[in-house]
Each structure stands twice: as C-alpha cells, then as structure tokens.
Amino acid sequence: MSMNTQGRPTGTGSVTSVNSSGSSLLPNEPLLFEIGDTHHSGVDLPDVEISSSRLGGFERKLPLDLAGLTEPEAMRHYVRLSRLNHSIDSGMYPLGSCTMKHNPRLNEKMARLPGFSDIHPLQPTSTVQGALKLMNELSHWLMTLTNTAAVALTPKAGAHGELLGMMTIKAAQEAAGQANRTVVLVPESAHGTNPATAAFLGYTVKPIPARDDGTVDVAAVKAALSPDVAAIMLTNPNTCGLFEPQVIEIAEAVHAAGAFFYCDGANFNAIMGVVRPGDLGIDAMHINLHKTFSTPHGGGGPGAGPVVLSAALAPFAPVPFVRKGEDGLSLVEHSEGESLGRITAFQGQMGMYVRALTYMLSHGGDGLAQAAKDAVLNANYIKARLQHAFSVPFPDYPCMHEALFNDDFLSGSGVTTLDFAKALIDEGFHPMTMYFPLVVHGAMLIEPTESEPKQTLDHFCDVMLELAKDATGGNKDRFLSAPLNAPRRRLDETRAARSPILKWERPEPLPQAAE
C-alpha cells in the first residue's frame, strides 16, 4: 500500500475560534467544581463502615461537596491551567529586580541524580559524603565570589537570608554590649523587604533620601549616623538599576561610626565575577540562588537565600554547616560559641544547592563574569533603543542589569503605566515591573538578563516603541480596554484586594420554565 502524500488543503477559512477573543489556545478554564459534579466519582471505592471514631467529635457533619472527576478530566484541567501561565521557558520575562533568567536543563539533570534527590536529612553523614562535599564546594564558591569569611546556606529565600544577616548584626552588637543601637538606615532606593526586615527585628527605620541622580549621597548617610545606628541596609546595584558610586565611602563612614553594612544581594547578577562585595566593605549579604545562579523561581519555593558574612560576623553564623576533619566531612548541627543556632529545619534546599553549583561549574569564574557583563549589555541595549521614545529618569549613568523609565512620556495621553503594561500582554509579552522603585513616578523597570538574544530584545523593543507611538498619538482606547486577548479581562484590582472571593459556592439553580 502506498502512502498518501497529498495533504489536506488549509486556509484561514478553516479555522474556528472557540472564544470571543479569538485566542483558541487560551480558553477560559472553568473551576474544578464547574467541570464535575458531586453525584459521580472518578474512582470506584468500597463503602467503609466505621464503628468508632478517633476524631473526638470532629467528624464531618455534611457531605464533602467535592466534584468527582476522572483522571483525564483532572489532568486536562491542570494542563490547561499550566498553559495560561507565562514562564521563562515560553518567552521573555522582563520583570525588573527579579532576574528571570533561563534555568539550564543540565541543572535539572544533576539535581535528579539519586545521590542528591533521594537522600534524607536524617541519614548518617557517612552515607551522604557526596552531598556534604557539594555543600562545602558551593560555600567555597560563594565566599570566593564575594570575598567574605563565612556563609550560611540554610535560609530558604532572600527575605529569610536578609533576616538572618540582620540577626547576626544584632547578635554581634549585643555581644559587644551595644544593645542601645536600635536604628537602621535604609535608602529609599533599597528593596522593600529591607525596612520590613529591620522593623520585624524591632529596629527603628530611618530612611535616607535618594539624590536626583538615583544614588545614595555619602553626606546624607554621615548626617544620619549616630551612636544609636546599628546598620545600613543598602541595595547595590540599587533598584534604579544603578551601581552606587560612593559605596566604599559609605561603608567606611558606617564602620567608623561602629555600625555594620548589610548589602541586599538581590541584584548580584549584575556584578558576579566582576566585583567582590567584600572589597566594598559589606559585612553581610544575602544571595538569591534563584536569581543569580539560575535555580527556578517557583511559586513561593523551594528557594534558597544563602548569606555571606564578614570576619566580624562569622562567629554568629547559624548551624548547621559543613566541617572537614580527619574522618571526612561532618555536619555541625549544634551551636558552638556565639552561633545563633538554627534558623531552619535540617540543612536547607539540597536541590537548589545542586542546581546552583552546576551553574557555577559549567560557567567557571570567567563565564560567570561574562554572564554578568552580558546582562548589563542587554539592559543598556534596551535603554538605548527606547530612550528616545520613553522618558529616562536618571540619564547621567549607564544602567546595570535593568533599565528604568518613568511615565513622563505618557503625560496628557490619558494612558497610565498600568494601561501600558496591560497592552503589552496583548502583544504576547509579560509586563515589566510597574510602579517600582517608588522613587520614580509611574516606574517601568525592565530586566532582560543575559538569557535573551538580540532578536528577542529587538522584538520586545519594537513592540514597546509601537505601543509608545499609539499611546502618545491619541490611540488610548487600545490601552484602556487591554488586555483583549487574555483569558480574563482587566480586573477591578482595588475591589479584588479589598473583597476577595476565596470560597466557591454552588450557584442557585435556575428557575424551571412553566409548562
């Protein structure tokens, strides 16, 4: 029998849209409760008779009211939902201050090796020497890249690491009889978690205003220093996408006043392998493995935010940590000396350690530096292409890892930063970070990372320029109603935040028509 080589004729007339937006690949997916019903079950289970209950009066009084779905129905529901998510695997993710870089599949392969993925945190250390060696090697890389004396791997996220860094500062000052230091300086260009962390630990937060060029003035820091100041929490490069030119002078002034320098390392991707934060005078800095070292950003976890510490803070590092002895590597799990003790259960996120070290080893020190330089190049390319149509708040410096624009170019158009971002969704791009940093009105913060090729950057810039042309040319309607091609139209975000609907309720049955 011969193969039929004649294909079926195709054309635009043969396509049928399945929803009003014309986007048949993005259906409006119903809830599970709306797919199934409570009268059927996807599995057959025997009835169970329970003569006595161990629930102590907490037995369910009403039916579960859960929809019964077959496995295909449940699987298709979640697969369809996953297709509604934007991800770095499906397109550029230009969120500023987020470093949404590619997650290499080699990392995933290594993390799934049985010797790493199948171990248990309570195993004898003699059976996990490979895992301990990996943790020890990762610690070496982090300390080398930052020129610091110690590292704590266990924090589960950047904010958690931030908390630990400030806890070591608090412990060091209490040990030195300086518990009177209750003020923390936080520049306006710092990450929002910085003042929250300081306040959580009982500190009074004193803001340091940004200069007109978006950087911190050492004179303003010196004026704010006093015997009550415990530390400064400075983000470098800062959230305006700028490297702080007076960072060394700021560190010297802070140390001269008896305080410590905490650096927010969320933007370390811009300087890894190029600048060692320890050389700048920092005492503590958290590092987001999910940003700088390519481990996945994942729905709140699992994350990892190791903290590097100077020699002055190293004695206060928490347990556990790896120690090398005559009998091999061991895990120090009980506090020694002035250690803070534990800040998390067990040893942290092993899978993230494997992915991060794989990224480091596959690049090498020179490769990491090249990645940082490429990230900075990509951001400056976007800035150069857009700066004539958009408004740049700080034109005096080249940017680092992210390009920042404000909404001055939209003045009088009737279009806001939010409207502009919603229209970007219709063009197939995830929006940039909006209204952050707060020091810039109507901010649009774009971070392409080193992952994006020039073709993708050009496509993104072409779309941005076309939208800017429409917004300033009087075509505001496409912005005010956007997005049009998403499964959901624009929400009333204020109402959604104030009056969220968190519980599904069965709709009232429709009245029966009279016969």
Side-chain angles (χ1 to χ4, degrees):
M1 184 176 70
S2 62
M3 180 178 295
N4 180 11
T5 59
Q6 179 62 48
R8 291 178 295 176
T10 60
T12 56
S14 64
V15 178
T16 302
S17 174
V18 299
N19 66 5
S20 60
S21 72
S23 181
S24 61
L25 294 180
L26 291 176
N28 185 5
E29 179 65 19
L31 300 174
L32 278 174
F33 302 99
E34 298 166 334
I35 296 174
D37 60 67
T38 58
H39 307 299
H40 300 87
S41 174
V43 295
D44 293 325
L45 297 174
D47 293 332
V48 177
E49 294 185 6
I50 301 177
S51 57
S52 61
S53 173
R54 292 177 293 176
L55 297 179
F58 290 97
E59 298 87 349
R60 173 173 287 277
K61 302 297 192 297
L62 299 173
L64 278 175
D65 198 27
L66 292 177
L69 301 179
T70 63
E71 183 173 311
E73 286 177 314
M75 177 65 71
R76 289 168 184 166
H77 170 73
Y78 286 108
V79 169
R80 287 193 296 262
L81 284 180
S82 73
R83 290 165 59 190
L84 304 184
N85 291 332
H86 187 83
S87 72
I88 193 63
D89 289 339
S90 60
M92 179 181 175
Y93 223 128
L95 282 172
S97 269
C98 289
T99 316
M100 305 294 287
K101 65 166 67 180
H102 173 63
N103 311 134
R105 290 307 176 264
L106 177 62
N107 299 2
E108 302 304 315
K109 184 177 181 180
M110 295 300 101
R112 284 165 173 74
L113 291 174
F116 296 131
S117 62
D118 293 346
I119 58 176
H120 192 280
L122 296 180
Q123 280 183 231
T125 56
S126 61
T127 67
V128 289
Q129 286 293 298
L132 295 182
K133 184 176 180 180
L134 184 141
M135 293 169 64
N136 191 58
E137 183 75 5
L138 176 61
S139 299
H140 170 73
W141 274 81
L142 293 174
M143 289 188 292
T144 301
L145 287 168
T146 56
N147 191 25
T148 48
V151 61
L153 295 179
T154 52
K156 297 295 184 65
H160 194 197
E162 204 174 285
L163 179 68
L164 169 61
M166 291 303 295
M167 287 173 66
T168 62
I169 289 173
K170 192 179 185 73
Q173 289 173 335
E174 289 178 349
Q178 296 182 339
N180 61 295
R181 293 183 177 269
T182 58
V183 176
V184 171
L185 308 181
V186 180
E188 291 178 348
S189 58
H191 271 119
T193 52
N194 294 174
T197 295
F200 185 80
L201 288 174
Y203 287 111
T204 298
V205 176
K206 187 173 184 178
I208 304 296
R211 294 192 293 192
D212 291 340
D213 64 359
T215 64
V216 178
D217 187 355
V218 65
V221 174
K222 289 179 178 179
L225 288 169
S226 71
D228 297 333
V229 172
I232 186 170
M233 298 183 76
L234 184 142
T235 304
N236 189 42
N238 66 29
T239 55
C240 298
L242 304 174
F243 190 89
E244 292 289 351
Q246 295 183 312
V247 61
I248 293 178
E249 293 92 331
I250 290 171
E252 290 173 347
V254 168
H255 291 151
F260 286 97
F261 183 179
Y262 180 89
C263 182
D264 186 310
N267 297 332
F268 187 49
N269 193 60
I271 60 174
M272 66 170 173
V274 179
V275 176
R276 301 187 303 179
D279 297 340
L280 305 178
I282 68 103
D283 293 295
M285 184 180 84
H286 80 267
I287 299 173
N288 298 88
L289 296 187
H290 57 279
K291 292 186 177 185
T292 308
F293 297 110
S294 79
T295 69
H297 288 67
V307 177
V308 291
L309 301 168
S310 67
L313 296 180
F316 303 93
V319 294
F321 57 86
V322 178
R323 173 179 289 163
K324 188 173 183 179
E326 294 181 359
D327 298 328
L329 297 172
S330 62
L331 202 61
V332 178
E333 300 191 72
H334 301 286
S335 298
E336 297 180 347
E338 298 175 301
S339 170
L340 288 173
R342 283 188 175 272
I343 62 162
T344 185
F346 303 123
Q347 289 72 259
Q349 302 288 9
M350 190 67 206
M352 299 304 111
Y353 300 163
V354 179
R355 291 172 173 89
L357 185 61
T358 301
Y359 182 79
M360 293 172 181
L361 294 176
S362 61
H363 280 73
D366 56 344
L368 293 178
Q370 187 62 55
K373 294 174 183 178
D374 289 346
V376 173
L377 176 64
N378 279 357
N380 277 280
Y381 181 73
I382 286 179
K383 180 181 178 182
R385 281 214 56 192
L386 301 184
Q387 63 185 354
H388 300 297
F390 288 71
S391 41
V392 180
F394 307 118
D396 297 338
Y397 303 102
C399 64
M400 294 296 292
H401 57 298
E402 53 196 357
L404 177 62
F405 304 95
N406 61 25
D407 61 356
D408 286 354
F409 76 102
L410 295 174
S411 178
S413 67
V415 177
T416 66
T417 292
L418 177 64
D419 299 327
F420 197 96
K422 296 294 186 183
L424 197 57
I425 296 174
D426 280 337
E427 302 300 325
F429 283 100
H430 192 286
M432 72 295 285
T433 293
M434 304 177 297
Y435 301 111
F436 181 82
L438 301 179
V439 295
V440 171
H441 192 274
M444 300 181 187
L445 191 60
I446 302 169
E447 182 180 3
T449 81
E450 72 277 12
S451 299
E452 303 304 332
K454 183 175 180 295
Q455 294 90 333
T456 300
L457 300 181
D458 281 331
H459 182 204
F460 175 77
C461 290
D462 290 343
V463 168
M464 292 285 285
L465 291 170
E466 185 65 28
L467 288 174
K469 181 180 178 181
D470 280 356
T472 56
N475 186 15
K476 68 177 183 179
D477 290 343
R478 70 171 295 188
F479 295 90
L480 301 183
S481 55
L484 298 174
N485 297 325
R488 283 275 189 261
R489 298 295 297 277
R490 192 184 302 201
L491 300 175
D492 181 338
E493 297 190 16
T494 301
R495 184 181 175 193
R498 299 288 190 275
S499 306
I501 300 174
L502 304 178
K503 178 184 178 183
W504 179 80
E505 295 183 358
R506 188 175 301 282
E508 295 292 332
L510 296 175
Q512 297 291 329
E515 295 183 0

